[in-house]
């Protein structure tokens, strides 16, 4: 092979075809991520086993329609895969996931997809709790069951009643999600590495432009949540932890950048709550890296 793009895509198709045939020999049907490389060789796709399921994924607000349309034109079995937008966040990104899930499922319907696989990834430590991914899960389930589903007052009322069991569930989720938007998890992790390993050349300072708004936003959410009771109280607790976590991230960033602010959060007290919830519901996995990052920045 000359290792040009065409050769690489052909090699990819040939390899996954062998894997699919092996899976079929075991009496199973293969599900295959519909990598764009595949579309460079549509003739090879048509020669793959007919019961192969192609998983067409896209996580932007307005996902690329072209791959889904091409698989639809080929008449192969296609499943569309939106996402809950929880990766590298303490709370799902409501603004992104709503558009993504609605648009992906509509594209699937228009291009004869046979179903939906809603995804919930956990990149960069998977800091988000499962509760703060559940709105996206519920939306995906509702839209998959009935593609005419819209995000309107009736739908939100149902979510508040069935999922959060509190009329303020969805509005506060949006507040926490918007607060998280002001504190980028990637930037926070990058600043930690720069600070700990003494490079300090590539600090990201963008959060400092919003630090007053972040503190005020957290205090507002705290006031709404701290002295209330929800029938499904786990959601209330996780929303409060996520809001406080955003404030902790912003204030620790100011600390390591030597910006003088009045702190309103307590890293160790917050992390005690975060740790307890993590251990109740998750395997250890790489949790220790999250703890190491917050505690190191607090103590050094």
């Amino acid at each position: 092979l000359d290792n040009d793009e065409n050769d690489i895509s052909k090699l990819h198709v040939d390899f996954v075809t062998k894997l699919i045939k092996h899976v079929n020999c075991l009496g199973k049907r293969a599900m295959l991520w519909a990598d764009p490389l595949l579309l460079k060789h549509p003739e090879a796709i048509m020669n793959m086993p007919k019961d192969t399921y192609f998983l067409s994924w896209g996580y932007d607000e307005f996902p690329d329609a072209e791959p889904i349309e091409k698989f639809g034109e080929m008449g192969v079995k296609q499943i569309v895969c939106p996402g809950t937008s929880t990766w590298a966040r303490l709370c799902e990104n409501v603004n992104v996931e709503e558009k993504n899930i609605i648009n992906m499922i509509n594209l699937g319907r228009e291009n004869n997809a046979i179903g939906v696989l809603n995804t919930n990834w956990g990149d960069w430590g998977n800091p988000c709790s499962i509760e703060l991914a559940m709105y996206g899960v519920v939306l995906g389930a509702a839209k998959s069951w009935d593609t005419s589903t819209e995000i309107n007052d009736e739908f939100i009322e149902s979510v508040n009643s069935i999922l959060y069991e509190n009329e303020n569930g969805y509005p506060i989720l949006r507040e926490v999600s918007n607060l998280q938007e002001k504190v980028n998890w990637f930037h926070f992790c990058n600043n930690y590495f720069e600070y700990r390993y003494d490079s300090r050349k590539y600090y990201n300072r963008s959060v400092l432009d919003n630090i007053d708004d972040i503190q005020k936003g957290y205090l507002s959410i705290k006031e709404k949540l701290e002295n209330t009771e929800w029938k499904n109280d786990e959601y209330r607790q996780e929303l409060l932890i996520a809001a406080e976590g955003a404030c902790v991230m912003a204030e620790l960033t100011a600390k390591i950048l030597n910006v003088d602010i009045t702190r309103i959060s307590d890293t160790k007290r917050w992390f005690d709550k975060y740790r307890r919830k993590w251990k109740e519901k998750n395997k250890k996995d790489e949790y220790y890296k999250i703890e190491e990052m917050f505690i190191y920045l607090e103590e050094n």
Side-chain angles (χ1 to χ4, degrees):
L1 293 177
D2 296 328
N3 286 329
D4 63 20
E5 189 174 7
N6 185 64
D7 286 336
I8 292 171
S9 62
K10 183 64 167 62
L11 181 64
H12 178 74
V13 170
D14 290 345
F15 178 69
V16 296
T17 300
K18 292 178 181 178
L19 292 179
I20 292 168
K21 289 180 178 178
H22 176 69
V23 170
N24 291 162
C25 288
L26 300 175
K28 307 294 183 180
R29 288 179 291 184
M31 300 172 72
L32 173 68
W33 289 110
D35 191 286
L37 286 171
L38 291 172
L39 290 172
K40 296 183 181 296
H41 292 278
E43 75 289 346
I45 292 174
M46 299 308 296
N47 290 327
M48 287 181 178
K50 300 302 180 185
D51 56 354
T52 300
Y53 293 87
F54 294 89
L55 306 179
S56 295
W57 57 276
Y59 307 128
D60 295 332
E61 296 176 57
F62 300 98
D64 185 6
E66 184 178 3
I68 298 172
E69 292 170 349
K70 286 185 176 180
F71 279 108
E73 291 168 2
M74 292 179 200
V76 298
K77 295 177 180 177
Q78 174 178 204
I79 297 172
V80 290
C81 306
T84 59
S85 294
T86 56
W87 35 92
R89 293 172 59 91
L90 292 168
C91 176
E92 57 200 310
N93 190 327
V94 177
N95 294 319
V96 172
E97 69 181 346
E98 285 185 334
K99 294 182 178 67
N100 173 255
I101 291 169
I102 294 294
N103 290 330
M104 278 293 283
I105 294 176
N106 284 341
L107 282 170
R109 178 195 60 199
E110 294 162 5
N111 291 280
N112 301 313
I114 64 171
V116 179
L117 174 63
N118 197 6
T119 63
N120 182 53
W121 301 108
D123 301 342
W124 283 59
N126 193 19
C128 186
S129 71
I130 188 61
E131 284 78 16
L132 300 190
M134 284 304 297
Y135 172 68
V137 172
V138 167
L139 174 59
K143 182 70 175 176
S144 301
W145 183 259
D146 180 357
T147 56
S148 68
T149 297
E150 296 180 0
I151 303 170
N152 51 27
D153 290 344
E154 182 181 5
F155 179 74
I156 297 305
E157 184 178 347
S158 298
V159 168
N160 285 337
S161 175
I162 297 170
L163 183 62
Y164 302 112
E165 298 187 71
N166 186 285
E167 63 183 3
N168 295 313
Y170 177 78
I172 294 180
L173 173 70
R174 288 200 71 96
E175 286 188 54
V176 176
S177 177
N178 290 336
L179 184 66
Q180 175 74 85
E181 280 293 273
K182 300 177 188 297
V183 193
N184 186 292
W185 181 263
F186 293 118
H187 295 168
F188 182 72
C189 294
N190 175 76
N191 287 346
Y192 159 70
F193 286 115
E194 292 292 316
Y195 183 75
R196 178 158 191 175
Y197 299 107
D198 209 28
S199 173
R200 309 189 187 197
K201 297 177 182 178
Y202 303 106
Y203 278 139
N204 187 292
R205 307 176 66 91
S206 59
V207 71
L208 300 179
D209 297 333
N210 298 309
I211 198 158
D212 288 341
D213 290 339
I214 292 165
Q215 289 180 319
K216 290 175 183 176
Y218 162 57
L219 290 176
S220 174
I221 293 167
K222 179 182 179 183
E223 183 179 0
K224 293 173 184 176
L225 289 176
E226 199 164 51
N227 298 312
T228 59
E229 293 184 6
W230 293 19
K231 288 184 179 179
N232 197 336
D233 203 57
E234 195 68 15
Y235 287 88
R236 182 191 68 85
Q237 294 179 50
E238 290 289 2
L239 285 164
L240 189 54
I241 289 171
E244 187 175 2
C247 187
V248 169
M249 290 165 63
E251 292 182 352
L252 284 177
T253 301
K255 173 181 178 287
I256 66 175
L257 295 179
N258 294 314
V259 175
D260 187 27
I261 62 166
T262 300
R263 290 201 62 173
I264 63 172
S265 70
D266 182 304
T267 303
K268 291 186 177 180
R269 184 183 61 200
W270 170 76
F271 205 86
D272 283 344
K273 291 180 284 188
Y274 184 84
R275 179 192 297 111
R276 183 173 67 253
K277 286 299 179 187
W278 180 288
K279 290 185 175 180
E280 284 177 5
K281 291 173 283 191
N282 303 300
K283 294 180 179 179
K284 289 184 178 180
D285 197 38
E286 293 190 344
Y287 149 82
Y288 74 92
K289 292 184 178 180
I290 299 175
E291 178 167 10
E292 183 179 83
M293 179 168 60
F294 279 97
I295 301 305
Y296 183 89
L297 291 178
E298 177 62 32
E299 293 181 344
N300 293 274

